[in-house]
Amino acid sequence: MFRSPVAGFEMPELPEVETTRRGLEPLVVGRRIRSAVVRNRAMRQPVPRRLPQLLAGATVRALGRRGKYLLFDCGSGTLILHLGMSGRLWVVRDGAAPAVHDHFDLVLEDDTVVRLRDPRRFGLVLWQAGDPLEHALLARIGPEPLSGDFDGPRLHAATRGRRTAIKHVIMDSHVVAGVGNIYANEALLRAGIDPRMHAGRLSPERCASLAASIRDTLETAIAAGGSSLRDYVRSDGMAGNYQSQFLVYDRAGEPCPRCSGVIREIRQGQRSTFFCPRCQKR
Ligand SMILES: [Zn+2]
């Protein structure tokens, strides 16, 4: 599992991306882009050479999100940003000196700069002409977990015949968008499901419970982000994951908040799984 020097920190997940979107929306929508600055093209995919030309003079019409992708609608096309494993967006004033990992700036007409800092450079800065959802990276993303498109029947259908552990299945972006390791752990506790259970064995009722738990987990995290939203704008930095809210994640050996049993940590694939053997059943 990737760990930054900050204990318990993982890559940005959907709640952090949505909180970022909500924080940026009032600062960028309706604003004209004066320029775009690319300091390092070597992201997970190369930043398009023409990007500064495409963005200069365009107006941001809307700031959307699909999974963990931020979509800056610029009319003729869309600037697509992904924070990767270590990306953060900062809001600074034009003229603020960039740090070593500040690879991209979007400079708006009012001197607001949206700056991407990404030490590991697993993030993405891309352009899609026309419908952004037709971009190869977005076209096959599954339903949005916070929308009515994702529910028990849909999860049940997606899991039939699958012997894969349910935790891996809900982290598969083709099944549901944007559920990473932290919130997969949290949702499985809420639903009382053992993370190792074969997905295909889940009943319709348990699929409904899990779909609702995924939504509740993400909404709780986004609501917790509301307070850091102001900090984010004020202090020019985005808060990390909302660790104080976690029920099981990174709490191995601590008492389960539901039953006071002991939370266990195991490895599934390359990732840590945290669960309560007493609450979470196969
Ligand atoms: Zn428990």
Side-chain angles (χ1 to χ4, degrees), residues 256 258-259 276 278-279:
C256 166
R258 295 278 158 91
C259 75
C276 171
R278 222 192 269 178
C279 290

Side-chain angles (χ1 to χ4, degrees), residues 71 73 77-80 128-139:
L71 309 174
D73 176 1
T78 301
L79 169 67
I80 301 175
Q128 171 75 5
D131 183 356
L133 302 185
E134 289 177 3
H135 191 281
L137 290 168
L138 279 75

Side-chain angles (χ1 to χ4, degrees), residues 226-266:
S227 53
S228 61
L229 204 66
R230 283 185 298 277
D231 296 340
Y232 153 63
V233 173
R234 189 172 58 227
S235 66
D236 300 339
M238 179 191 150
N241 305 105
Y242 311 124
Q243 298 181 36
S244 59
Q245 302 291 316
F246 297 155
L247 302 172
V248 282
Y249 180 77
D250 210 22
R251 291 188 182 276
E254 294 180 29
C256 166
R258 295 278 158 91
C259 75
S260 302
V262 178
I263 295 168
R264 269 189 68 196
E265 177 177 5
I266 56 170

Side-chain angles (χ1 to χ4, degrees), residues 5 13 37 54 60 97 104 185-186 190 211 222 251 264 268:
E13 292 205 21
V37 180
L54 291 163
V60 181
F104 175 76
N185 278 293
E186 296 291 292
R190 283 172 181 255
I222 292 167
R251 291 188 182 276
R264 269 189 68 196
Q268 283 186 289

Side-chain angles (χ1 to χ4, degrees), residues 26-44:
L27 303 178
V28 303
V29 173
R31 296 265 152 73
R32 198 166 159 274
I33 298 167
R34 193 157 68 212
S35 62
V37 180
V38 179
R39 296 190 192 83
N40 190 339
R41 293 185 58 231
M43 303 296 286
R44 180 148 59 92

Side-chain angles (χ1 to χ4, degrees), residues 18-260:
E18 177 61 16
T19 300
T20 299
R21 192 196 69 76
R22 292 181 189 183
L24 287 178
E25 192 172 39
L27 303 178
V28 303
V29 173
R31 296 265 152 73
R32 198 166 159 274
I33 298 167
R34 193 157 68 212
S35 62
V37 180
V38 179
R39 296 190 192 83
N40 190 339
R41 293 185 58 231
M43 303 296 286
R44 180 148 59 92
Q45 292 182 13
V47 178
R49 287 188 191 280
R50 294 186 308 132
L51 192 67
Q53 284 167 259
L54 291 163
L55 289 171
T59 296
V60 181
R61 298 186 180 187
L63 179 57
R65 179 187 58 76
R66 180 76 174 100
K68 296 200 295 183
Y69 293 88
L70 287 169
L71 309 174
F72 293 74
D73 176 1
C74 297
S76 62
T78 301
L79 169 67
I80 301 175
L81 290 189
H82 191 282
L83 300 175
M85 300 180 84
S86 58
R88 285 286 181 271
L89 289 174
W90 303 71
V91 177
V92 297
R93 306 302 293 169
D94 194 15
V100 63
H101 299 298
D102 290 346
H103 305 309
F104 175 76
D105 281 357
L106 192 66
V107 185
L108 302 173
E109 58 186 343
D110 65 348
D111 291 338
T112 295
V113 178
V114 179
R115 176 165 283 177
L116 174 66
R117 177 173 299 174
D118 187 357
R120 291 184 165 234
R121 286 189 279 113
F122 258 76
L124 292 165
V125 181
L126 299 170
W127 175 262
Q128 171 75 5
D131 183 356
L133 302 185
E134 289 177 3
H135 191 281
L137 290 168
L138 279 75
R140 292 176 61 229
I141 298 178
E144 283 293 322
L146 302 178
S147 79
D149 294 346
F150 181 67
D151 58 11
R154 184 122 184 201
L155 180 59
H156 191 253
T159 51
R160 291 313 85 190
R162 295 189 68 167
R163 291 175 53 81
T164 315
I166 183 60
K167 184 184 169 216
H168 290 309
V169 171
I170 59 175
M171 288 176 66
D172 176 351
S173 66
H174 302 116
V175 173
V176 56
V179 179
N181 192 43
I182 291 174
Y183 297 105
N185 278 293
E186 296 291 292
L188 286 162
L189 175 83
R190 283 172 181 255
I193 295 170
D194 188 312
R196 300 164 294 186
M197 184 175 173
H198 291 169
R201 292 187 54 237
L202 280 172
S203 66
E205 293 74 22
R206 297 188 90 192
C207 286
S209 168
L210 182 52
S213 295
I214 288 171
R215 180 180 311 193
D216 291 347
T217 299
L218 296 172
E219 282 178 348
T220 300
I222 292 167
S227 53
S228 61
L229 204 66
R230 283 185 298 277
D231 296 340
Y232 153 63
V233 173
R234 189 172 58 227
S235 66
D236 300 339
M238 179 191 150
N241 305 105
Y242 311 124
Q243 298 181 36
S244 59
Q245 302 291 316
F246 297 155
L247 302 172
V248 282
Y249 180 77
D250 210 22
R251 291 188 182 276
E254 294 180 29
C256 166
R258 295 278 158 91
C259 75
S260 302

